[in-house]
Amino acid sequence: MCGIVGYIGDKKAQDVLLSGLKRLEYRGYDSAGIGVIEDNDIKVIKSKGNLAVLINKVGDETIGTQGIGHTRWATHGKPCDENSHPHLSENGKFCLVHNGIIENYLELKKELIGKGYNFKSDTDSEVIVNLFQLFDDGDFISTTKKVTGKIEGSYAIGVIDKENSDEFLVVRKDSPLVVGVGRGENFIASDIPAILEYTKNIYILDDGEIALISRDDVKIFDKAGNRITKKLREITWSLESAEKQGYEHFMLKEINEQPEAIRKTLAGRIKNDLVDLNLNMDDAYVKSINKIAIVACGTANYAGRVVGHLIEDKLRIPVLVSYASEFRYNNPIIDEKTLTIVISQSGETADTLAGLRESKGRGSKIVAITNVVESSVAREADYVIYTQAGPEIAVASTKAYTTQIIALFMLLIELGFKRDILDVATINEWVKEMQSVPEKMQLILENSQLIKNYAEQIKDSSSLFFIGRGVDSVSCLEGALKLKEISYIHAEAYPAGELKHGTLALITDDVPVIAIGTNKVLMDKIISNIAEVKTRGASTYGVGFEDENKLIAEVDYYIPIPRISEALAPLLAVIPLQLLAYYTSVVKGNDVDKPRNLAKSVTVE
Ligand code: M6R
């Protein structure tokens, strides 16, 4: 996904910009560029490909101390030099970087062409920079207001003006942007890690806000152009915590961080063996809830499915779990008695944010479960539960998933208690089980050699199946997603009982089947489903409790997990699946942390 960085100060801007862009590489991109003011002119250097290509091209080309940089993930127009950012206005006065999508850019482009403007790229972003030229009235703020009055869609924009080497401007709507404050120097970034090396003092801009940034000052304005005062936040994470800490890949580091991430997510929320999320949810409101809608994408959606299942089972409240990309187009049945739970690691996923707004517009209260403090979903929700996973850099989500499940589980307990469905003794029991998760995860992590061997065995398969019953079939969805995402092997998750209704035709001796069995009631069922695929020649792998002897005897290979209450089993069952995907990707020589075609945070629809 696109990344922005900007600088004004005494340092050579290209150095700050390139190091900032390097920190944003994890977001995924296909081209990059910088624009630096020098001698009343703007030097733009950009190229398709990775940062190494750009760094080589930049060389010692620029010496200016003010500039903007960008990593692009193509949305309008293919990845190529011309479509890379920054873009210059036709008269070369303005230079702009943009994250987001301008929905009415075609009309605007037509209008500008009609006025004699020529375009060099296929991007929607070049329209914006030419609007700066069109509306240029000598006052940066008033020009910006005119531009933002014309464009529809989402944007985080950084603009420099070659005639103004003392300041530059940023504005945002529905796309994140922060301003970093230093001494005699200031920064902008779409993500905090880009500038954390230089400053820990950050302004987080809200929708519609504009900031005018000079070496010694940051002036912030609301969308009407009135000067406002904002709270300067001190970011407490160190840059080190966003680095690999000795692991070969961020993904492996993040898989191994899960015990700690679960501990941190529980911390401060368990009191006297009861759960207190400090949400200040009114008891009468909790009792009035007659439906729960869970809205999220990808892995976050599967976390929702794991606990959605349990909420229906334990609290007897109907739960609708939707893919956020579909939700708002399905005319969902939501009203003020529906509680909507949105789940998003980044808190910036465009579809999830749109789902949140759809539900809110229909009168529902919103609980956001997110890993990013002050992210868009956090700011727009009525209640927020922060997962304490720390920055997740690998595109494949791991620790975000398990911390989302634990956060949801705590929410389930709190709702159950307030609705007089769960008694203290039951909650005490569940709390103890939750507290046992980190240690049990650790035991699985220590047994990873076995999984490494299995990765060798499956690495040349062209297709795999994950099968399970009940909530295990949700763990299958996550296992298959992980494997597809980073090993590029086709994998399909299937409710095991459905195989015989068509899919069994695909099972042959070169299609391994991974079966998850953690449910006692359904154990005999999954065992007969395994027998069905074995008969068709499939080699079978089982994931289940360490003492599940019947299951162990049925499969060819087995990955044991420590026993835990069935409700929490998905938290353990997913660890071998994450490791299997990881080691398969490594053995295939893939780019584990940055899989092809994917981005960490999907901030466009
Ligand atoms: O930041 P979010 O949790 O909203 O992201 C949602 C999905 O894009 C994300 O979980 C994605 O599916 C992961 N890359 C999967 O590993």
Side-chain angles (χ1 to χ4, degrees):
M1 196 54 50
C2 304
I4 287 177
V5 61
Y7 176 72
I8 184 164
D10 295 329
K11 297 187 175 79
K12 216 168 145 184
Q14 71 169 50
D15 296 342
V16 180
L17 300 177
L18 293 172
S19 81
L21 293 179
K22 192 110 197 91
R23 301 261 174 235
L24 295 182
E25 276 196 295
Y26 69 91
R27 289 168 59 90
Y29 66 105
D30 50 50
S31 48
I34 60 168
V36 175
I37 294 202
E38 216 168 278
D39 300 331
N40 294 325
D41 206 356
I42 302 173
K43 271 197 180 156
V44 171
I45 306 170
K46 52 189 189 174
S47 63
K48 182 185 164 199
N50 62 25
L51 267 181
V53 180
L54 179 70
I55 291 170
N56 196 27
K57 202 164 172 182
V58 171
D60 274 331
E61 278 288 307
T62 74
I63 50 162
T65 59
Q66 181 193 349
I68 47 179
H70 190 262
T71 45
R72 173 174 190 256
W73 186 66
T75 55
H76 293 77
K78 61 179 188 203
C80 62
D81 290 3
E82 296 73 32
N83 287 339
S84 311
H85 297 218
H87 293 284
L88 285 171
S89 58
E90 218 205 2
N91 60 6
K93 184 171 186 260
F94 295 100
C95 174
L96 169 142
V97 289
H98 164 226
N99 285 358
I101 286 185
I102 302 305
E103 284 159 12
N104 58 340
Y105 87 103
L106 279 176
E107 294 145 59
L108 294 171
K109 191 167 178 174
K110 225 167 129 191
E111 208 177 305
L112 287 163
I113 289 172
K115 291 184 195 292
Y117 283 76
N118 290 304
F119 283 81
K120 297 180 189 70
S121 78
D122 304 318
T123 64
D124 49 345
S125 314
E126 197 183 356
V127 166
I128 316 173
V129 75
N130 279 324
L131 286 175
F132 270 92
Q133 176 180 331
L134 179 72
F135 293 126
D136 185 12
D137 59 10
D139 176 336
F140 226 162
I141 300 291
S142 112
T143 306
T144 305
K145 273 169 49 199
K146 288 177 195 155
V147 173
T148 53
K150 274 293 245 194
I151 55 181
E152 287 163 20
S154 59
Y155 49 83
I157 292 169
V159 207
I160 53 179
D161 172 351
K162 74 172 180 184
E163 290 167 14
N164 187 354
S165 59
D166 290 333
E167 56 191 9
F168 68 100
L169 180 141
V170 291
V171 57
R172 65 149 281 180
K173 179 178 166 273
D174 293 337
S175 194
L177 200 59
V178 301
V179 179
V181 178
R183 286 212 180 124
E185 58 181 0
N186 288 310
F187 308 81
I188 58 156
S190 52
D191 286 67
I192 293 168
I195 51 176
L196 207 52
E197 187 181 344
Y198 301 102
T199 181
K200 291 193 181 313
N201 298 317
I202 304 282
Y203 288 116
I204 298 172
L205 295 187
D206 282 305
D207 268 358
E209 287 176 355
I210 305 171
L212 204 51
I213 299 150
S214 59
R215 284 170 181 77
D216 297 307
D217 200 10
V218 176
K219 295 191 185 99
I220 302 177
F221 304 83
D222 64 15
K223 60 167 140 247
N226 303 312
R227 180 96 188 256
I228 54 167
T229 316
K230 275 187 89 84
K231 195 170 144 209
L232 192 63
R233 289 169 195 277
E234 199 193 331
I235 300 301
T236 47
W237 4 299
S238 68
L239 197 52
E240 221 182 81
S241 76
E243 288 176 350
K244 288 185 206 150
Q245 290 168 356
Y247 287 98
E248 201 184 333
H249 298 98
F250 281 114
M251 183 178 176
L252 187 59
K253 169 178 170 279
E254 288 158 8
I255 290 173
N256 277 281
E257 281 172 349
Q258 289 177 105
E260 191 52 23
I262 297 286
R263 275 190 201 101
K264 284 188 176 158
T265 304
L266 290 171
R269 288 160 170 166
I270 306 293
K271 287 169 195 141
N272 303 323
D273 287 340
L274 292 173
V275 171
D276 181 2
L277 287 169
N278 206 9
L279 294 180
N280 296 321
M281 242 188 221
D282 183 60
D283 285 10
Y285 165 68
V286 172
K287 287 193 172 126
S288 75
I289 296 167
N290 65 8
K291 188 206 270 183
I292 291 182
I294 300 183
V295 183
C297 297
T299 289
N301 181 285
Y302 300 151
R305 276 170 210 267
V306 166
V307 185
H309 214 273
L310 274 173
I311 295 176
E312 284 202 333
D313 180 21
K314 307 292 181 199
L315 306 191
R316 311 309 294 161
I317 305 174
V319 179
L320 165 83
V321 187
S322 306
Y323 290 113
S325 53
E326 296 288 330
F327 179 70
R328 65 189 183 285
Y329 301 112
N330 285 345
N331 193 13
I333 305 171
I334 304 287
D335 59 25
E336 63 286 349
K337 290 195 172 165
T338 310
L339 175 67
T340 301
I341 305 172
V342 297
I343 311 164
S344 173
Q345 186 282 129
S346 61
E348 301 295 345
T349 299
D351 284 321
T352 307
L353 194 54
L356 178 158
R357 290 174 182 162
E358 177 73 33
S359 254
K360 211 172 185 178
R362 291 174 187 248
S364 171
K365 289 240 187 289
I366 313 289
V367 178
I369 296 184
T370 179
N371 195 33
V372 181
V373 175
E374 287 287 308
S375 56
S376 299
V377 302
R379 283 182 289 123
E380 294 194 24
D382 299 286
Y383 312 100
V384 185
I385 307 172
Y386 286 115
T387 49
Q388 300 295 340
E392 194 181 59
I393 306 293
V395 167
S397 186
T398 52
K399 59 180 179 171
Y401 176 70
T402 44
T403 53
Q404 283 159 357
I405 293 179
I406 211 84
L408 282 161
F409 200 73
M410 285 191 278
L411 179 62
L412 176 156
I413 293 176
E414 192 152 300
L415 295 177
F417 187 59
K418 288 195 173 205
R419 286 167 74 96
D420 305 322
I421 294 174
L422 298 178
D423 58 30
V424 170
T426 310
I427 295 175
N428 290 169
E429 196 52 43
W430 285 3
V431 163
K432 284 203 186 81
E433 285 288 283
M434 285 197 292
Q435 287 168 329
S436 76
V437 169
E439 209 176 308
K440 291 176 179 171
M441 280 181 162
Q442 196 60 47
L443 292 172
I444 307 171
L445 291 167
E446 283 160 16
N447 200 15
S448 60
Q449 183 57 44
L450 178 73
I451 301 163
K452 237 185 206 174
N453 299 342
Y454 295 160
E456 277 289 343
Q457 289 174 200
I458 65 161
K459 70 172 194 300
D460 296 319
S461 310
S462 54
S463 186
L464 262 108
F465 273 80
F466 286 77
I467 60 169
R469 312 284 302 227
V471 77
D472 288 330
S473 67
V474 183
S475 300
C476 287
L477 286 167
E478 177 57 8
L481 175 62
K482 254 357 36 128
L483 193 72
K484 285 183 274 208
E485 191 174 11
I486 57 168
S487 80
Y488 313 149
I489 296 176
H490 172 255
E492 200 162 324
Y494 229 74
E498 283 295 301
L499 282 175
K500 57 175 116 24
H501 299 287
T503 311
L504 211 46
L506 291 175
I507 304 294
T508 59
D509 54 7
D510 55 5
V511 179
V513 175
I514 299 172
I516 307 175
T518 66
N519 187 308
K520 193 163 182 242
V521 175
L522 291 166
M523 193 54 67
D524 287 341
K525 309 276 176 206
I526 185 74
I527 287 173
S528 30
N529 298 134
I530 295 167
E532 282 165 9
V533 296
K534 270 176 81 175
T535 313
R536 272 84 191 172
S539 49
T540 53
Y541 295 77
V543 176
F545 296 126
E546 56 207 351
D547 53 357
E548 206 63 76
N549 295 330
K550 266 170 89 179
L551 182 61
I552 296 172
E554 188 63 38
V555 293
D556 302 315
Y557 310 100
Y558 195 70
I559 307 170
I561 59 171
R563 196 160 270 287
I564 196 162
S565 78
E566 283 181 13
L568 293 174
L571 284 166
L572 302 186
V574 77
I575 308 284
L577 309 183
Q578 295 169 344
L579 288 167
L580 187 69
Y582 171 76
Y583 287 120
T584 310
S585 178
V586 171
V587 78
K588 292 188 77 179
N590 293 350
D591 190 346
V592 177
D593 288 332
K594 281 179 266 158
R596 68 185 182 206
N597 305 339
L598 297 175
K600 180 66 186 163
S601 177
V602 186
T603 51
V604 291
E605 186 180 359

Short mmCIF file of all heavy atoms in Angstrom, two decimals, residues 413-447:
data_model
loop_
_atom_site.label_atom_id
_atom_site.label_comp_id
_atom_site.label_asym_id
_atom_site.label_seq_id
_atom_site.Cartn_x
_atom_site.Cartn_y
_atom_site.Cartn_z
N ILE A 413 -17.18 -12.61 27.37
CA ILE A 413 -17.36 -12.83 28.81
C ILE A 413 -18.05 -11.62 29.46
O ILE A 413 -18.99 -11.76 30.24
CB ILE A 413 -16.00 -13.11 29.49
CG1 ILE A 413 -15.43 -14.45 28.99
CG2 ILE A 413 -16.11 -13.09 31.01
CD1 ILE A 413 -14.05 -14.79 29.51
N GLU A 414 -17.59 -10.44 29.07
CA GLU A 414 -18.17 -9.23 29.68
C GLU A 414 -19.66 -9.10 29.32
O GLU A 414 -20.49 -8.80 30.16
CB GLU A 414 -17.39 -8.00 29.22
CG GLU A 414 -17.75 -6.78 30.03
CD GLU A 414 -16.62 -5.77 30.12
OE1 GLU A 414 -15.54 -6.13 30.63
OE2 GLU A 414 -16.82 -4.64 29.69
N LEU A 415 -19.98 -9.38 28.06
CA LEU A 415 -21.39 -9.30 27.66
C LEU A 415 -22.21 -10.36 28.39
O LEU A 415 -23.31 -10.08 28.89
CB LEU A 415 -21.53 -9.50 26.15
CG LEU A 415 -20.90 -8.42 25.24
CD1 LEU A 415 -21.06 -8.80 23.77
CD2 LEU A 415 -21.51 -7.06 25.48
N GLY A 416 -21.66 -11.56 28.49
CA GLY A 416 -22.37 -12.67 29.15
C GLY A 416 -22.63 -12.36 30.62
O GLY A 416 -23.69 -12.69 31.15
N PHE A 417 -21.65 -11.71 31.26
CA PHE A 417 -21.79 -11.38 32.67
C PHE A 417 -22.88 -10.32 32.85
O PHE A 417 -23.78 -10.45 33.67
CB PHE A 417 -20.44 -10.87 33.20
CG PHE A 417 -20.43 -10.64 34.68
CD1 PHE A 417 -20.70 -11.67 35.57
CD2 PHE A 417 -20.13 -9.38 35.20
CE1 PHE A 417 -20.69 -11.46 36.95
CE2 PHE A 417 -20.12 -9.16 36.58
CZ PHE A 417 -20.40 -10.22 37.45
N LYS A 418 -22.81 -9.29 32.02
CA LYS A 418 -23.80 -8.20 32.14
C LYS A 418 -25.20 -8.65 31.78
O LYS A 418 -26.17 -8.06 32.22
CB LYS A 418 -23.39 -7.03 31.24
CG LYS A 418 -22.18 -6.27 31.75
CD LYS A 418 -22.02 -4.93 31.08
CE LYS A 418 -20.90 -4.16 31.74
NZ LYS A 418 -20.97 -2.75 31.62
N ARG A 419 -25.29 -9.68 30.98
CA ARG A 419 -26.62 -10.18 30.60
C ARG A 419 -27.07 -11.31 31.52
O ARG A 419 -28.06 -11.98 31.25
CB ARG A 419 -26.60 -10.68 29.14
CG ARG A 419 -26.55 -9.54 28.14
CD ARG A 419 -26.22 -10.04 26.76
NE ARG A 419 -27.33 -10.73 26.11
CZ ARG A 419 -28.18 -10.18 25.25
NH1 ARG A 419 -28.06 -8.90 24.95
NH2 ARG A 419 -29.14 -10.88 24.71
N ASP A 420 -26.31 -11.53 32.61
CA ASP A 420 -26.64 -12.55 33.61
C ASP A 420 -26.70 -13.96 33.02
O ASP A 420 -27.48 -14.80 33.45
CB ASP A 420 -27.99 -12.25 34.31
CG ASP A 420 -28.01 -10.86 34.92
OD1 ASP A 420 -26.96 -10.45 35.45
OD2 ASP A 420 -29.05 -10.18 34.83
N ILE A 421 -25.89 -14.20 31.99
CA ILE A 421 -25.88 -15.54 31.39
C ILE A 421 -24.70 -16.34 31.94
O ILE A 421 -24.79 -17.54 32.15
CB ILE A 421 -25.81 -15.45 29.85
CG1 ILE A 421 -27.09 -14.80 29.34
CG2 ILE A 421 -25.60 -16.82 29.21
CD1 ILE A 421 -27.10 -14.52 27.88
N LEU A 422 -23.57 -15.66 32.15
CA LEU A 422 -22.39 -16.35 32.65
C LEU A 422 -22.22 -16.04 34.14
O LEU A 422 -22.22 -14.86 34.53
CB LEU A 422 -21.14 -15.88 31.89
CG LEU A 422 -21.13 -16.15 30.38
CD1 LEU A 422 -19.87 -15.60 29.76
CD2 LEU A 422 -21.24 -17.65 30.10
N ASP A 423 -22.08 -17.07 34.94
CA ASP A 423 -21.90 -16.81 36.37
C ASP A 423 -20.40 -16.68 36.71
O ASP A 423 -19.53 -16.99 35.89
CB ASP A 423 -22.58 -17.90 37.22
CG ASP A 423 -22.03 -19.28 36.88
OD1 ASP A 423 -20.86 -19.37 36.50
OD2 ASP A 423 -22.80 -20.26 36.99
N VAL A 424 -20.15 -16.22 37.92
CA VAL A 424 -18.78 -15.94 38.34
C VAL A 424 -17.90 -17.18 38.25
O VAL A 424 -16.77 -17.11 37.76
CB VAL A 424 -18.79 -15.34 39.77
CG1 VAL A 424 -17.39 -15.25 40.35
CG2 VAL A 424 -19.45 -13.97 39.76
N ALA A 425 -18.43 -18.31 38.67
CA ALA A 425 -17.61 -19.54 38.67
C ALA A 425 -17.18 -19.90 37.26
O ALA A 425 -16.01 -20.24 37.00
CB ALA A 425 -18.39 -20.68 39.29
N THR A 426 -18.10 -19.80 36.30
CA THR A 426 -17.76 -20.12 34.90
C THR A 426 -16.70 -19.15 34.39
O THR A 426 -15.72 -19.55 33.74
CB THR A 426 -19.02 -20.01 34.00
OG1 THR A 426 -20.07 -20.74 34.62
CG2 THR A 426 -18.78 -20.47 32.60
N ILE A 427 -16.90 -17.87 34.71
CA ILE A 427 -15.94 -16.86 34.22
C ILE A 427 -14.56 -17.11 34.83
O ILE A 427 -13.54 -17.08 34.13
CB ILE A 427 -16.44 -15.43 34.51
CG1 ILE A 427 -17.72 -15.17 33.71
CG2 ILE A 427 -15.37 -14.39 34.15
CD1 ILE A 427 -18.40 -13.86 33.98
N ASN A 428 -14.53 -17.40 36.13
CA ASN A 428 -13.24 -17.68 36.79
C ASN A 428 -12.51 -18.80 36.06
O ASN A 428 -11.31 -18.74 35.82
CB ASN A 428 -13.45 -18.11 38.24
CG ASN A 428 -13.92 -16.97 39.13
OD1 ASN A 428 -14.33 -17.17 40.26
ND2 ASN A 428 -13.88 -15.75 38.64
N GLU A 429 -13.27 -19.81 35.69
CA GLU A 429 -12.70 -20.96 34.99
C GLU A 429 -12.12 -20.55 33.63
O GLU A 429 -11.00 -20.88 33.27
CB GLU A 429 -13.85 -21.98 34.81
CG GLU A 429 -13.44 -23.38 34.46
CD GLU A 429 -12.39 -23.94 35.41
OE1 GLU A 429 -12.51 -23.76 36.66
OE2 GLU A 429 -11.45 -24.53 34.87
N TRP A 430 -12.90 -19.76 32.88
CA TRP A 430 -12.46 -19.32 31.55
C TRP A 430 -11.24 -18.41 31.64
O TRP A 430 -10.35 -18.46 30.80
CB TRP A 430 -13.60 -18.61 30.82
CG TRP A 430 -14.65 -19.55 30.32
CD1 TRP A 430 -14.68 -20.91 30.51
CD2 TRP A 430 -15.79 -19.22 29.54
NE1 TRP A 430 -15.78 -21.44 29.90
CE2 TRP A 430 -16.49 -20.42 29.30
CE3 TRP A 430 -16.31 -18.04 29.04
CZ2 TRP A 430 -17.67 -20.46 28.56
CZ3 TRP A 430 -17.47 -18.07 28.30
CH2 TRP A 430 -18.15 -19.27 28.07
N VAL A 431 -11.25 -17.57 32.68
CA VAL A 431 -10.12 -16.64 32.84
C VAL A 431 -8.83 -17.45 33.04
O VAL A 431 -7.80 -17.18 32.43
CB VAL A 431 -10.37 -15.66 34.01
CG1 VAL A 431 -9.09 -14.98 34.45
CG2 VAL A 431 -11.41 -14.61 33.59
N LYS A 432 -8.93 -18.48 33.86
CA LYS A 432 -7.75 -19.33 34.10
C LYS A 432 -7.29 -19.97 32.80
O LYS A 432 -6.10 -20.04 32.51
CB LYS A 432 -8.07 -20.42 35.13
CG LYS A 432 -8.11 -19.87 36.52
CD LYS A 432 -7.87 -20.97 37.56
CE LYS A 432 -8.06 -20.41 38.96
NZ LYS A 432 -9.50 -20.32 39.36
N GLU A 433 -8.24 -20.42 32.02
CA GLU A 433 -7.90 -21.04 30.73
C GLU A 433 -7.22 -20.02 29.81
O GLU A 433 -6.24 -20.32 29.15
CB GLU A 433 -9.18 -21.57 30.04
CG GLU A 433 -9.70 -22.84 30.65
CD GLU A 433 -8.83 -24.04 30.32
OE1 GLU A 433 -8.91 -24.55 29.19
OE2 GLU A 433 -8.05 -24.44 31.20
N MET A 434 -7.76 -18.79 29.79
CA MET A 434 -7.14 -17.76 28.94
C MET A 434 -5.71 -17.49 29.39
O MET A 434 -4.81 -17.31 28.58
CB MET A 434 -7.94 -16.44 29.01
CG MET A 434 -9.22 -16.47 28.23
SD MET A 434 -9.86 -14.80 27.95
CE MET A 434 -10.31 -14.29 29.57
N GLN A 435 -5.53 -17.47 30.70
CA GLN A 435 -4.19 -17.18 31.22
C GLN A 435 -3.20 -18.31 30.94
O GLN A 435 -1.99 -18.10 30.97
CB GLN A 435 -4.27 -16.89 32.72
CG GLN A 435 -4.88 -15.52 32.96
CD GLN A 435 -5.25 -15.26 34.41
OE1 GLN A 435 -5.60 -16.21 35.13
NE2 GLN A 435 -5.18 -14.02 34.84
N SER A 436 -3.74 -19.49 30.63
CA SER A 436 -2.83 -20.62 30.33
C SER A 436 -2.38 -20.63 28.86
O SER A 436 -1.50 -21.38 28.47
CB SER A 436 -3.52 -21.95 30.67
OG SER A 436 -4.46 -22.28 29.66
N VAL A 437 -3.02 -19.78 28.05
CA VAL A 437 -2.73 -19.81 26.60
C VAL A 437 -1.26 -19.52 26.28
O VAL A 437 -0.63 -20.29 25.53
CB VAL A 437 -3.67 -18.83 25.84
CG1 VAL A 437 -3.23 -18.64 24.39
CG2 VAL A 437 -5.11 -19.34 25.89
N PRO A 438 -0.64 -18.45 26.84
CA PRO A 438 0.74 -18.14 26.45
C PRO A 438 1.70 -19.31 26.66
O PRO A 438 2.49 -19.64 25.76
CB PRO A 438 1.11 -16.95 27.34
CG PRO A 438 -0.20 -16.32 27.69
CD PRO A 438 -1.19 -17.43 27.76
N GLU A 439 1.60 -19.94 27.81
CA GLU A 439 2.50 -21.05 28.11
C GLU A 439 2.30 -22.21 27.13
O GLU A 439 3.26 -22.83 26.65
CB GLU A 439 2.16 -21.52 29.51
CG GLU A 439 3.29 -22.13 30.26
CD GLU A 439 2.81 -22.45 31.67
OE1 GLU A 439 2.24 -21.52 32.33
OE2 GLU A 439 2.94 -23.60 32.07
N LYS A 440 1.05 -22.47 26.80
CA LYS A 440 0.76 -23.59 25.89
C LYS A 440 1.21 -23.25 24.46
O LYS A 440 1.69 -24.13 23.74
CB LYS A 440 -0.73 -23.94 25.96
CG LYS A 440 -1.07 -24.56 27.31
CD LYS A 440 -2.52 -24.86 27.50
CE LYS A 440 -2.72 -25.49 28.87
NZ LYS A 440 -4.12 -25.64 29.25
N MET A 441 1.05 -21.99 24.09
CA MET A 441 1.55 -21.58 22.76
C MET A 441 3.06 -21.81 22.70
O MET A 441 3.60 -22.27 21.70
CB MET A 441 1.30 -20.08 22.54
CG MET A 441 -0.11 -19.73 22.13
SD MET A 441 -0.24 -17.94 21.90
CE MET A 441 -1.74 -17.85 20.94
N GLN A 442 3.72 -21.46 23.80
CA GLN A 442 5.18 -21.59 23.86
C GLN A 442 5.61 -23.04 23.60
O GLN A 442 6.56 -23.29 22.87
CB GLN A 442 5.66 -21.11 25.24
CG GLN A 442 7.15 -20.84 25.31
CD GLN A 442 7.58 -19.75 24.32
OE1 GLN A 442 6.96 -18.70 24.22
NE2 GLN A 442 8.63 -20.04 23.56
N LEU A 443 4.86 -23.98 24.18
CA LEU A 443 5.20 -25.40 23.98
C LEU A 443 5.12 -25.78 22.50
O LEU A 443 5.96 -26.52 22.00
CB LEU A 443 4.25 -26.28 24.81
CG LEU A 443 4.42 -26.17 26.32
CD1 LEU A 443 3.29 -26.94 27.04
CD2 LEU A 443 5.78 -26.74 26.74
N ILE A 444 4.12 -25.25 21.80
CA ILE A 444 3.99 -25.57 20.36
C ILE A 444 5.17 -24.95 19.61
O ILE A 444 5.76 -25.58 18.73
CB ILE A 444 2.66 -25.05 19.78
CG1 ILE A 444 1.48 -25.55 20.61
CG2 ILE A 444 2.51 -25.48 18.32
CD1 ILE A 444 0.15 -24.92 20.25
N LEU A 445 5.50 -23.71 19.98
CA LEU A 445 6.59 -23.02 19.28
C LEU A 445 7.91 -23.77 19.44
O LEU A 445 8.75 -23.79 18.54
CB LEU A 445 6.72 -21.58 19.81
CG LEU A 445 5.54 -20.66 19.45
CD1 LEU A 445 5.57 -19.37 20.28
CD2 LEU A 445 5.54 -20.33 17.97
N GLU A 446 8.07 -24.39 20.60
CA GLU A 446 9.32 -25.13 20.84
C GLU A 446 9.39 -26.43 20.05
O GLU A 446 10.41 -27.07 19.97
CB GLU A 446 9.47 -25.40 22.35
CG GLU A 446 9.94 -24.13 23.07
CD GLU A 446 9.67 -24.15 24.56
OE1 GLU A 446 9.39 -25.23 25.10
OE2 GLU A 446 9.73 -23.05 25.16
N ASN A 447 8.28 -26.82 19.50
CA ASN A 447 8.21 -28.09 18.76
C ASN A 447 8.19 -27.85 17.25
O ASN A 447 7.64 -28.64 16.48
CB ASN A 447 6.91 -28.80 19.20
CG ASN A 447 6.94 -30.27 18.91
OD1 ASN A 447 8.00 -30.83 18.64
ND2 ASN A 447 5.77 -30.90 18.94
#
